[in-house]
């Protein structure tokens, strides 16, 4: 089973940027879709960005939650078994623990990693 390790979180002021990374212990090329999720205190985990690969070796297509559209960019490097989330123009409401996972049948697949904490101060 592929293990996922998220990193890159931290404390940033509103308007700042962070780049999250999700490193997989095995190949992610077999997963057509990979996603970044987040969970804020007292709230359910939500999908914020998803990337699919029409062709496994290339970049694929992306889609985003309305709340992050235009500010976040998801990308993947299948050769490095890594998925990224570039977050710009961060807002306090982006504060959450961020997780990545494969998406199979429209649902997260496999075990969750520990996530990475993102805290945005106003």
């Amino acid at each position: 089973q592929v293990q996922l390790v998220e990193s890159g979180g931290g404390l940033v002021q509103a308007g700042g940027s962070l780049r999250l990374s999700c490193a997989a212990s095995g190949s992610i090329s077999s997963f057509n879709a990979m996603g970044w999720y987040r969970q804020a205190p007292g709230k359910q985990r939500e999908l914020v960005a998803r990337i699919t690969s029409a062709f496994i070796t290339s970049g694929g297509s992306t889609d985003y939650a309305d709340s992050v559209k235009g500010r976040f960019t998801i990308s993947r490097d299948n050769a490095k078994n890594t998925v990224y989330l570039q977050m710009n123009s961060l807002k306090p409401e982006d504060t959450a623990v961020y997780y990545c996972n494969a998406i199979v049948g429209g649902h997260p697949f496999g075990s969750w990693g520990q996530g990475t904490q993102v805290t945005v101060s106003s």
Side-chain angles (χ1 to χ4, degrees), residues 73-93:
T73 302
I74 187 172
S75 60
R76 65 191 288 174
D77 186 334
N78 288 342
K80 295 183 178 180
N81 296 317
T82 302
V83 183
Y84 304 96
L85 186 68
Q86 177 67 44
M87 306 187 296
N88 299 327
S89 302
L90 283 161
K91 303 176 180 180
E93 51 264 43

Side-chain angles (χ1 to χ4, degrees), residues 2-121:
V2 175
Q3 302 296 317
L4 301 167
V5 179
E6 301 90 350
S7 63
L11 173 63
V12 64
Q13 289 187 332
S17 298
L18 285 172
R19 189 192 194 206
L20 307 184
S21 297
C22 170
S25 61
S27 175
I28 63 170
S29 61
S30 61
F31 295 111
N32 185 52
M34 297 291 297
W36 279 98
Y37 296 76
R38 69 184 181 187
Q39 187 168 20
K43 295 187 177 180
Q44 289 189 336
R45 192 171 298 175
E46 62 172 343
L47 176 66
V48 296
R50 179 176 60 182
I51 184 167
T52 61
S53 291
F55 301 98
I56 294 299
T57 56
S58 65
S61 62
T62 59
D63 58 85
Y64 302 91
D66 288 342
S67 59
V68 307
K69 200 171 294 184
R71 301 187 297 119
F72 289 12
T73 302
I74 187 172
S75 60
R76 65 191 288 174
D77 186 334
N78 288 342
K80 295 183 178 180
N81 296 317
T82 302
V83 183
Y84 304 96
L85 186 68
Q86 177 67 44
M87 306 187 296
N88 299 327
S89 302
L90 283 161
K91 303 176 180 180
E93 51 264 43
D94 294 319
T95 295
V97 180
Y98 284 71
Y99 305 85
C100 69
N101 212 331
I103 300 173
V104 178
H107 299 286
F109 179 82
S111 301
W112 294 100
Q114 291 188 335
T116 185
Q117 175 72 48
V118 172
T119 303
V120 184
S121 63

